[in-house]
Amino acid sequence: MLVLGIETSCDESAVAIYGDEGLLSQKIFTQNSHTKYGGVVPELASRDHLSKLPILIEDIIKQSNIKMADIDAIAYTAGPGLLGSLVVGTMFGKTISSILKVPSLAVNHMEGHLLSPFIEDYKKAQFPILALLVSGGHTLLLEVNGWGEYAVLGESMDDAVGEAFDKTAKLLDLGYPGGHELSKLAQKGNPFRFDLPRPVVKKQPLNFSFSGLKTHVLYEIMRLKKEGIWYEQSRFDMAASFELACVESLLKRCYDAIEKKEKTSNNIYKSLIVSGGVSANMTLRRHLDILSDKKNIDIFIPELSICTDNAAMIAFVGWLRMSAGERTDNQVAPRARWDIGTSTKFAVKP
């Protein structure tokens, strides 16, 4: 079965083809029209998806050396995300499905990120698994008890960690999107110069909070500028200190969840998934290696090429679910919010 995947949840227009032999090809177009506005403009994002998807689909069919008629099914992102962008991808998916007379499936964007580390070999998954999803729009800690069986253990009470990276990058005059540039800046800095907070949600210790950390950075920069000691090295050190604070906040919840499971259940976590755009962060990856050694737990993390929003993960989830017999009624509507905890479980090929 060959599945065409379509991803348009935000400002990446992406398509991919996944089949029984694995990922055939993928293409991603990242929109650059939003930079001057300091954030994604939903109307512009929708228009770009509308103009780019036909071209990308035509390119990927040629790249895969197949014909459009060879496609057996369509998988498209139906949420969560920007509603206008989701509408474009959903309509493309349904239309192609109707023209080719093949089945289609609405895919949860976050399930795509969650399962992306298993694109090359889904049989490596051994449950239960602890999962950390970290992106510009979401920060989630999940317990994965099987395919489609996801329980939310913790989530961000304010900014997602990727959003906090981008907003802090603005404070460091890096523009938008600046999360990746902040991480590059951090490589030149001393992560221990500034004593930044690691916010804790007392009543819900597995939840996350990043807005206070970002505000602390703002006030510290204002203080340094007022005292006339805000130099280039200060920017490097602030970037490094902020990055470390975020990474340690994320990993603290993982350690706590693993240790809680060890104390309360004989069925301990077999592995830890870390995925989403922020999973590309090198400091995070180094700390994950340390966690793996300390807790003797396997870490599954996607290849850098599929850390950010992509259609390979959507085609893969579509292939898994449709191989198990799932289909979506063409009346399904895209949704800006879609709780991954409401996902339905399914069986995979043995």
Side-chain angles (χ1 to χ4, degrees):
M1 180 170 64
L2 289 180
V3 178
L4 169 65
I6 300 173
E7 156 61 25
T8 60
S9 65
C10 192
D11 61 337
E12 263 87 23
S13 305
V15 296
I17 296 176
Y18 190 94
D20 295 349
E21 303 302 318
L23 182 65
L24 270 68
S25 56
Q26 67 166 326
K27 276 188 172 291
I28 304 173
F29 173 78
T30 301
Q31 301 172 5
N32 297 315
S33 56
H34 309 281
T35 304
K36 60 183 177 183
Y37 300 107
V40 177
V41 181
E43 176 67 21
L44 294 180
S46 300
R47 290 180 182 179
D48 265 1
H49 290 313
L50 201 57
S51 63
K52 293 297 187 299
L53 279 180
I55 300 170
L56 292 173
I57 292 172
E58 184 178 355
D59 287 348
I60 206 169
I61 293 297
K62 291 179 181 177
Q63 187 179 17
S64 301
N65 197 29
I66 62 173
K67 297 177 181 178
M68 200 69 186
D70 296 326
I71 298 295
D72 299 300
I74 312 296
Y76 56 88
T77 301
L82 297 177
L83 189 56
S85 294
L86 293 168
V87 166
V88 175
T90 297
M91 289 302 101
F92 263 89
K94 289 180 179 181
T95 301
I96 296 171
S97 168
S98 178
I99 292 172
L100 297 180
K101 293 181 173 57
V102 298
S104 65
L105 187 78
V107 174
N108 185 309
H109 177 78
M110 298 313 296
E111 185 174 36
H113 277 306
L114 174 64
L115 301 185
S116 61
F118 298 116
I119 284 180
E120 291 187 1
D121 186 1
Y122 64 89
K123 294 180 182 179
K124 288 183 178 179
Q126 293 186 8
F127 308 105
I129 300 172
L130 182 66
L132 177 67
L133 301 187
V134 281
S135 67
H138 300 84
T139 305
L140 291 172
L141 191 66
L142 305 170
E143 178 168 293
V144 183
N145 288 305
W147 299 105
E149 298 182 70
Y150 317 128
V152 178
L153 303 178
E155 58 189 333
S156 179
M157 305 302 293
D158 38 62
D159 293 344
V161 64
E163 183 182 6
F165 263 84
D166 284 339
K167 288 181 177 179
T168 302
K170 279 188 178 182
L171 300 178
L172 296 173
D173 300 319
L174 293 174
Y176 177 90
H180 178 66
E181 294 303 314
L182 185 150
S183 295
K184 287 170 62 176
L185 210 68
Q187 296 175 17
K188 304 176 184 179
N190 173 11
F192 305 106
R193 177 179 170 187
F194 297 106
D195 185 19
L196 301 180
R198 275 64 169 164
V200 175
V201 183
K202 292 183 179 179
K203 292 184 178 181
Q204 297 170 300
L206 293 183
N207 280 352
F208 306 87
S209 175
F210 295 101
S211 65
L213 171 59
K214 176 197 64 188
T215 302
H216 192 96
V217 170
L218 170 63
Y219 288 150
E220 190 69 5
I221 291 174
M222 291 171 61
R223 180 186 68 81
L224 293 171
K225 287 182 176 180
K226 185 177 180 180
E227 295 176 5
I229 52 174
W230 179 247
Y231 305 119
E232 187 70 359
Q233 187 60 46
S234 300
R235 292 176 72 237
F236 300 156
D237 295 343
M238 185 62 77
S241 298
F242 170 81
E243 182 181 64
L244 181 62
C246 286
V247 167
E248 289 187 346
S249 294
L250 294 172
L251 269 294
K252 174 68 164 60
R253 274 64 169 188
C254 293
Y255 276 106
D256 288 349
I258 292 169
E259 289 168 3
K260 182 179 180 180
K261 189 74 168 177
E262 290 172 344
K263 292 177 181 178
T264 60
S265 173
N266 292 325
N267 193 19
I268 63 173
Y269 293 123
K270 305 295 191 300
S271 51
L272 169 65
I273 294 171
V274 181
S275 57
V278 180
S279 68
N281 183 277
M282 291 298 116
T283 300
L284 175 59
R285 290 186 174 224
R286 286 195 297 271
H287 279 73
L288 285 171
D289 288 338
I290 297 171
L291 184 153
S292 178
D293 291 337
K294 282 186 176 181
K295 305 305 295 184
N296 191 29
I297 190 170
D298 292 328
I299 307 293
F300 287 95
I301 195 164
E303 296 290 334
L304 290 175
S305 62
I306 53 171
C307 283
T308 54
D309 293 349
N310 64 88
M313 65 186 190
I314 303 303
F316 172 59
V317 171
W319 181 86
L320 282 176
R321 284 187 172 272
M322 283 190 275
S323 294
E326 282 195 30
R327 302 290 186 269
T328 296
D329 188 315
N330 265 344
Q331 299 304 311
V332 69
R335 62 205 84 170
R337 297 181 182 277
W338 188 358
D339 182 2
I340 192 172
T342 64
S343 298
T344 56
K345 67 178 183 179
F346 60 96
V348 300
K349 291 182 177 181

